[in-house]
Amino acid sequence: LYARRNLQVLMVSLGGLGPAETRGRCELEADRKCINTRLLRERCVVDFDELVAGLHPSQWIDSWHLTVDGLEVFGDRLAAALVDRLSSSSSSSSSPSSSTRGVPDTIRFRFGDVLHITSDDSLKVSKNIRGHYLIHGVNHGRPVYRKCASEDNVAAVVFYWDCRNGDNFAGWWIGPDIGWKHPGFARHTDGEAATPADRGWHVISDGQDDCSIHVAVVDFDGVPMWSESHLVNSLPKLKFNACGDPAVTAAVSGSYWMDGFNHGRPVYRRDGSSAHAEADAVIFFWDDRDGPVWSGWWVSPKLGWDHDGFLHNPDTSSQLPPTMGWAVLICDATEETLELVHALREQP
């Protein structure tokens, strides 16, 4: 919101208790610290706690307000912090505008802002929970992640609940919203984790653990923070580079976009505008349900076994298609020069 409105300086004080306030604000302080942990990763943010640290109790009127003397000290510290943030980051730049020096062009995603949840297609709640989630506030001192609205049109949120209502409610939850109007889709009982666990989720409707649910952090660090639709359009695209075998190049080259899931891993379909669009190509994962010969990543005209496939990679540990090590099925050999490149979609 701030980036879209081109704000250069914004002063927000979240909580910030004075020395007289020592009790009754535990939840506020927990939420405030959680929010600040994320905010302080931005270079343009000033740490309010540092500005008031060490002020004498006589410089506070109460837990929320400073005396005139306290405000003078606070003002001097704030001015110094703003000068530091707004000063030119490069002494070699020629006459930068004093109104824009050091101000970021846009707020950017940081590692941990985006989660990706996958699960086996056979799981009843799979459509409800799988997709990409953006950091979206805080609850009980831990971050909240909300599912991108453009994915599956199913509302879902990942949130933490502390032990105030007993052990049966404590832990991390995936549900349609924060609270208990709905029993939830899945739960993890690790109440110590500062962020959602990657494995070990318990499916509420089935009453049992499901190892196919996987919560992964997506590395969007440094990508501009646009709207949710732009985030979905920023999902990794895959592209096979040309290799020494013209037949293999013709069969699999082109750009692939994420298009659903299979056996708990994403499926990628070749762009219809590809130069080789007359032959469909899909990258998908197959687990070991049919034996080790069939497990791993495949490139084929379609998902399944109506075709022997173009390529196979036996790596079952990778959550995304591996970049190297693809066996060419039409000649029963590994093509060492064939590389699958992971990249972000170009933004407007």
Side-chain angles (χ1 to χ4, degrees):
L1 174 64
Y2 303 147
R4 288 198 299 268
R5 294 184 178 179
N6 297 317
L7 292 183
Q8 295 182 14
V9 177
L10 176 73
M11 292 183 62
V12 178
S13 172
L14 300 176
L17 303 180
E21 188 74 41
T22 58
R23 296 178 299 175
R25 299 285 181 174
C26 295
E27 184 175 346
L28 171 62
E29 282 295 281
D31 288 351
R32 188 178 74 89
K33 289 179 179 178
C34 181
I35 294 170
N36 285 348
T37 297
R38 171 60 186 87
L39 289 176
L40 289 172
R41 297 175 71 185
E42 299 294 335
R43 184 181 60 82
C44 58
V45 173
V46 175
D47 188 351
F48 177 84
D49 288 346
E50 287 188 0
L51 299 182
V52 298
L55 289 180
H56 193 272
S58 64
Q59 294 173 315
W60 291 87
I61 297 176
D62 53 34
S63 298
W64 303 98
H65 302 90
L66 295 171
T67 64
V68 173
D69 181 53
L71 287 173
E72 288 181 355
V73 176
F74 173 80
D76 289 340
R77 293 178 179 181
L78 177 60
L82 290 177
V83 168
D84 177 63
R85 298 298 188 278
L86 300 178
S87 62
S88 175
S89 59
S90 174
S91 59
S92 60
S93 58
S94 57
S95 301
S97 170
S98 60
S99 63
T100 60
R101 289 181 300 174
V103 178
D105 55 351
T106 184
I107 302 300
R108 297 178 180 272
F109 285 111
R110 302 300 175 191
F111 187 80
D113 285 352
V114 184
L115 302 180
H116 185 213
I117 298 181
T118 57
S119 63
D120 196 299
D121 282 350
S122 62
L123 190 63
K124 292 180 180 179
V125 298
S126 181
K127 184 177 180 180
N128 301 100
I129 66 175
R130 66 189 186 186
H132 287 81
Y133 291 70
L134 285 179
I135 192 167
H136 192 85
V138 62
N139 189 67
H140 293 188
R142 311 285 171 91
V144 172
Y145 299 86
R146 191 169 296 277
K147 187 178 179 181
C148 291
S150 54
E151 297 191 54
D152 293 332
N153 294 318
V154 178
V157 62
V158 181
F159 66 96
Y160 174 79
W161 200 267
D162 61 23
C163 59
R164 68 186 64 190
N165 299 117
D167 293 340
N168 290 335
F169 291 88
W172 286 92
W173 294 80
I174 307 175
D177 209 342
I178 299 175
W180 311 115
K181 293 181 179 180
H182 186 281
F185 303 131
R187 178 197 177 197
H188 200 290
T189 57
D190 186 355
E192 301 298 323
T195 55
D198 59 343
R199 298 284 189 183
W201 289 83
H202 183 83
V203 179
I204 306 302
S205 59
D206 293 344
Q208 58 186 353
D209 295 339
D210 192 285
C211 61
S212 74
I213 298 178
H214 182 228
V215 180
V217 176
V218 182
D219 189 0
F220 274 84
D221 193 23
V223 176
M225 191 179 283
W226 287 293
S227 63
E228 289 187 8
S229 61
H230 278 124
L231 172 70
V232 175
N233 288 333
S234 299
L235 299 179
K237 74 175 180 180
L238 307 180
K239 185 175 182 179
F240 275 109
N241 286 339
C243 66
D245 190 323
V248 175
T249 298
V252 303
S253 65
S255 296
Y256 294 73
W257 308 107
M258 187 173 170
D259 186 34
F261 298 82
N262 188 65
H263 293 189
R265 311 282 173 94
V267 172
Y268 294 85
R269 192 173 303 277
R270 182 157 60 183
D271 191 343
S273 62
S274 169
H276 305 284
E278 66 273 6
D280 291 335
V282 177
I283 305 172
F284 65 93
F285 177 78
W286 201 266
D287 61 23
D288 59 359
R289 68 185 65 190
D290 297 313
V293 175
W294 300 97
S295 62
W297 289 91
W298 297 81
V299 183
S300 183
K302 60 187 299 185
L303 199 156
W305 310 115
D306 292 343
H307 186 281
D308 291 337
F310 303 131
L311 306 173
H312 176 233
N313 195 307
D315 186 351
T316 59
S317 62
S318 178
Q319 294 297 312
L320 296 175
T323 58
M324 304 292 288
W326 291 89
V328 181
L329 302 178
I330 55 179
C331 61
D332 195 25
T334 300
E335 177 54 69
E336 299 294 345
T337 62
L338 185 66
E339 181 181 8
L340 184 61
V341 179
H342 293 225
L344 291 176
R345 297 189 186 190
E346 293 183 0
Q347 298 295 340

